[in-house]
Amino acid sequence: MAGVVLRDWKAELRDILPDFFDSPDGGPARPACVPECGQGWAGVVDRCCVRIAAALQFGESFRFESIRVSQGALRISWGGRLSAASEAAVRAAIDLAEARSLCVCETCGARGRLYRADGVLSTRCADHAEGVPAMRPEMEGVHLTQVTVRGRLRVVVAARYVFESDAFVRIDEDDVPSSQRA
Ligand SMILES: [Zn+2]
């Protein structure tokens, strides 16, 4: 991306989807949400917004509470009034974004991995990395806590995130030979 001048991606997203970012009452008690992550993850956040917008039905509301970095990964919290089906779709979109962030350099958007430097985790490409890789190679891309909603139950399952398809594959379906399944 060297030499390319980008508009402020945060302002651009807010222009396109003001309801997702602005305070509903405009008051100081609930300030507008500004993503607190690097420009390398603009595409990850953008993709997440597109999925959420597609999931919302007429009359439903959604708003980001915070978009930040935790343990080197994107962390998104939100509020809204949604049907169970729409809520499941929103949670799935956010799970995908958080998993994808662990594969994308937060600085430049190139393919990255998790590094640890002085105890601090960050996801970076080889050019922007500091410290040493924080995951064993066989754990790269494994996302251990995907939460799905089944009726009123929230069920945690282990899943592998596949960057190329931007989708989860359940680890029990992916890794366990069919002959060993119950
Ligand atoms: Zn980078």
Side-chain angles (χ1 to χ4, degrees), residues 104-112 123-129:
V104 175
C105 175
E106 190 195 345
T107 302
C108 73
R111 276 299 291 268
T123 301
R124 296 287 188 272
C125 66
D127 287 346
H128 291 117

Side-chain angles (χ1 to χ4, degrees), residues 8-113:
D8 178 352
W9 64 276
K10 299 172 187 178
E12 208 159 76
L13 262 184
R14 207 173 137 184
D15 284 350
I16 297 167
L17 293 164
D19 292 352
F20 281 19
F21 294 91
D22 288 346
S23 172
D25 53 11
R30 296 183 67 193
C33 172
V34 178
E36 298 171 35
C37 65
Q39 179 162 316
W41 286 352
V44 178
V45 175
D46 187 71
R47 200 180 272 234
C48 183
C49 288
V50 168
R51 284 190 165 124
I52 292 168
L56 296 184
Q57 302 297 311
F58 181 77
E60 296 182 334
S61 69
F62 172 89
R63 179 180 178 275
F64 289 112
E65 302 283 352
S66 69
I67 299 174
R68 61 193 176 84
V69 188
S70 174
Q71 303 291 305
L74 190 65
R75 286 285 177 271
I76 293 172
S77 62
W78 59 280
R81 286 196 315 278
L82 303 172
S83 68
S86 296
E87 182 176 335
V90 165
R91 288 188 187 281
I94 289 172
D95 276 348
L96 284 169
E98 291 179 348
R100 191 171 189 81
S101 71
L102 283 167
C103 305
V104 175
C105 175
E106 190 195 345
T107 302
C108 73
R111 276 299 291 268
R113 62 198 297 205

